[in-house]
Structure formats: C-alpha cells, structure tokens
Amino acid sequence: MGHPFPIREIARQAGLSEATVDRVLNDRGGVRESTVREVRRAIADLDRQRTQVRLVGRTFMIDIVMQTPERFSTAVRAALEAELPALHPAVVRSRFHFRETGPVAELVATLDRIARRGSQGVVLKAPDVPEVTAAVGRLTEAGVPVVTLVTDLPASARLAYVGIDNRAAGATAAYLMGQWLGERPGNVLTSLSSGFFRNEEEREMGFRGAMRARHPGRALVEITEGQGLDATQYDLVRAALVRDPEIRAVYSIGGGNIATLRAFADLGRACAVFVAHDLDHDNTRLLREHRLSAVLHHDLRQDMREACHAVMRAHGALPPAGPVLPSAIQVVTPYNLPPAALG
C-alpha cells in the first residue's frame, strides 16, 4: 500500500489509532477488513486533498500578453477575473499587456522584459512569426512557462495551446454558409485580420476546404490585414464590394463586423448570410439585432481556467494531466444567446 503520508496523518484522517494503521500498512494481521478499507480510503482522501495543500498560500503572477482588438482583450480580461474565485486556495494575480496592432519588435520587447523581470507564466496571443517564436524560447529558458491562447505557435517552446480546433471551426462555418445560402447565387467574402495569426489561417483553410468539397461552384473573395479594426476594415470591405457585385455573404474570421455591415449598407447591398467568431460586446449586439446569422463561440472562462491550471502544473502545484483538449465550438444564433449575453 504505497503512499507518501506519515502514519500519524493517515490515522488522523481515518479516525484510527496509529498502531492500527501501522498494522494495516505492514500487513501484520489481526485487523478487520472494514478497517483495512478505512485506511485505504483515508490514503485516497489525503492524495486528493494534497493538491489543495500544495495550493494554500501560493500566489501565481501571470502576464497576459495579447495583440488583438480591444473588444476581444476586454472579453479575455472579464473571463479571467470571473474565474479567479474558482482557482482558490491559490491566488492568481495578473498583469495585462494589450495592444491592438504595432510592430513585432515592440511585442518581442514586452516578452523579453517579462523574461528579465520574472513571472510564473505568460498567456500569449501573438502572430506566428520567427521573432515571437524566438522570444517564447527565451521565456522558457528563463523558467517562464508560456501558454498560447486562441492562436497557436506550434514551432515554439510553448507549454500548451488553449482554444478551439480552428480548422474544424472554419469547416463548421462552411457548413452553415452552404445550408443557409442554399441554391441562391452569390460569392462569399472571407475576411482575415492578418495572415500572420495561425488561428485565422487555419480557419480559412478549413472553410475553403469544406466549401470546395461541398459547394465547388461558389467563389470565395478574400481580404486581409484589416487588423480586426473598424477604421481599416471598412475601406477593405467597401473596395471588395465595388470590385465584385456578386458578393452576397460574409465569413468574418478576424472581426471588424460593424464596419463590414456599414460598407454593405452604404453601397445599398444586402448580406444574406454573415457568420462571425467570438461573442464579444460588438457581436452580441449585432446578434440581438439579427444582423449576424451566427457566431462561432467558445467558453473563454474555461480557456482561462485551463491556461492557469497549465501554469500551476508547470510549477508542480497541480498533478500532471494529459494534453489540453480543444474547446467546444458553440454555434450561437439570435435565438440561443447565453443568459450572460442577454443581460
């Protein structure tokens, strides 16, 4: 009956004498089978509770580094702060480093500052470029585990990726698009914020592959580098609509959906189907107004909880676990908005 616990601790947990526990552990006999079961149960209870003991009084300082539009960084911050009470008895403190756009060198400088200063972990949403991959390597060498969020850096030394299967999300968007467009003519606009974010590239590949297989005759028109920001997105969408009068639907991979809809309206064009990602405050409002057909969403609170747990495991505060599974992809329509979005 292997175990790491002192006899005194087992006896206290089981409500038995130390002598009785000693007889059970050393198989000396003269003990009822029910008493043996009580000792085994006490050891199992102690093993489960050992995690909580390791967490008591532990503080984890985690840096959240993201290049993303404000609407998504706000959603991530809210999700993390909502999860903090569930992480007790550990205390998780966070420093936020958010930017909507900017040179890669500035993002790398932020990561290098964290490596020099120290941190229990970094949760990172960043473009998949060699400079960022190298910075993740320097963080890891400095003993700072990195968890990628929403978009992965698979060639880096990151500890884990937390988020959805983006190819599956793209294929899901294609399925919805095909069902809802049916036999109606029209081309589909696919909109990426940047070609350097792996999640967007994978969504686009999943969407294009499924559309090619199921609806080979429907043309796809791509725009990119709008950074998910309304100011730049509007001009890109308007120009695409002017060039192609057959665009009738949108798969928005990278955001900027208010600007996209405004471009359609300003040109007097109808958008028959509009599939987007993430239930941020903009998309929630657009769904309520029935201006989006569906939003592909995932539970950000679960993602942030998984990211924090991964950091804790890296420090030995939680027992090892298997690979982090992809988050479930939720198809949200105007008729099944979650209660929190209805408030």
Side-chain angles (χ1 to χ4, degrees):
M1 197 184 297
H3 63 88
F5 307 107
I7 288 176
R8 180 182 297 111
E9 194 171 353
I10 298 171
R12 186 186 307 119
Q13 181 73 25
L16 300 169
S17 71
E18 293 181 31
T20 300
V21 171
D22 182 69
R23 284 200 300 274
V24 171
L25 296 179
N26 292 287
D27 199 20
R28 294 201 177 97
V31 183
R32 291 192 300 270
E33 182 59 33
S34 61
T35 302
V36 174
R37 288 197 297 270
E38 287 178 23
V39 171
R40 292 181 184 275
R41 187 161 51 245
I43 292 173
D45 290 343
L46 287 170
D47 191 55
R48 283 195 302 272
Q49 295 167 20
R50 183 171 50 172
T51 293
Q52 295 300 308
V53 171
R54 287 199 299 264
L55 288 174
V56 170
R58 293 288 298 272
T59 297
F60 297 87
M61 177 62 78
I62 297 177
D63 289 271
I64 317 296
V65 183
M66 301 179 65
Q67 179 171 314
T68 191
E70 177 273 337
R71 60 181 176 273
F72 188 71
S73 60
T74 297
V76 167
R77 184 197 294 264
L80 175 60
E81 292 176 348
E83 277 302 303
L84 292 181
L87 298 172
H88 289 323
V91 175
V92 174
R93 298 175 57 197
S94 50
R95 293 181 290 233
F96 297 98
H97 313 266
F98 294 157
R99 48 184 249 151
E100 291 197 310
T101 187
V104 169
E106 292 180 4
L107 179 60
V108 168
T110 297
L111 297 175
D112 285 341
R113 280 196 301 273
I114 294 170
R116 290 192 300 269
R117 181 187 61 207
S119 176
Q120 269 72 56
V122 169
V123 177
L124 177 63
K125 180 184 182 292
D128 185 9
V129 296
E131 298 92 331
V132 173
T133 295
V136 171
R138 292 189 290 274
L139 280 162
T140 302
E141 290 171 3
V144 181
V146 177
V147 177
T148 52
L149 175 70
V150 177
T151 184
D152 200 9
L153 302 169
S156 73
R158 57 93 170 124
L159 174 67
Y161 162 70
V162 173
I164 60 174
D165 179 334
N166 285 292
R167 281 181 182 262
T172 300
Y175 175 78
L176 296 173
M177 187 69 67
Q179 291 291 308
W180 288 336
L181 279 178
E183 298 303 317
R184 287 179 289 175
N187 299 336
V188 179
L189 181 71
T190 62
S191 168
L192 293 82
S193 73
S194 170
F196 293 108
F197 285 98
R198 179 167 288 267
N199 66 326
E200 296 192 17
E201 179 186 11
E202 290 176 343
R203 291 173 186 176
E204 194 274 338
M205 288 189 292
F207 183 80
R208 188 174 294 275
M211 289 294 288
R212 187 182 299 118
R214 297 175 62 90
H215 310 283
R218 198 175 292 281
L220 306 182
V221 180
E222 180 181 309
I223 60 172
T224 188
E225 303 311 316
Q227 306 303 321
L229 304 177
D230 288 338
T232 47
Q233 183 74 3
Y234 177 84
D235 292 336
L236 289 170
V237 174
R238 185 184 178 101
L241 293 175
V242 169
R243 287 193 304 269
D244 188 340
E246 300 305 314
I247 293 174
R248 295 286 185 273
V250 174
Y251 174 37
S252 174
I253 298 171
N257 301 326
I258 290 176
T260 296
L261 287 165
R262 182 159 54 86
F264 270 86
D266 287 353
L267 292 173
R269 299 271 288 275
C271 183
V273 180
F274 197 134
V275 179
H277 277 272
D278 300 317
L279 205 57
D280 55 41
H281 50 74
D282 283 358
N283 286 344
T284 296
R285 178 167 65 82
L286 294 174
L287 265 181
R288 284 184 188 143
E289 296 170 354
H290 290 244
R291 298 172 70 192
L292 298 181
S293 307
V295 169
L296 300 181
H297 182 61
H298 57 285
D299 188 345
L300 273 177
R301 287 185 58 170
Q302 177 186 329
D303 288 350
M304 297 311 296
R305 182 167 64 250
E306 288 288 351
C308 291
H309 284 171
V311 170
M312 292 176 183
R313 289 189 192 100
H315 292 283
L318 288 176
V324 177
L325 297 176
S327 305
I329 301 168
Q330 305 170 21
V331 179
V332 183
T333 72
Y335 300 100
N336 69 329
L337 280 160
L342 294 171

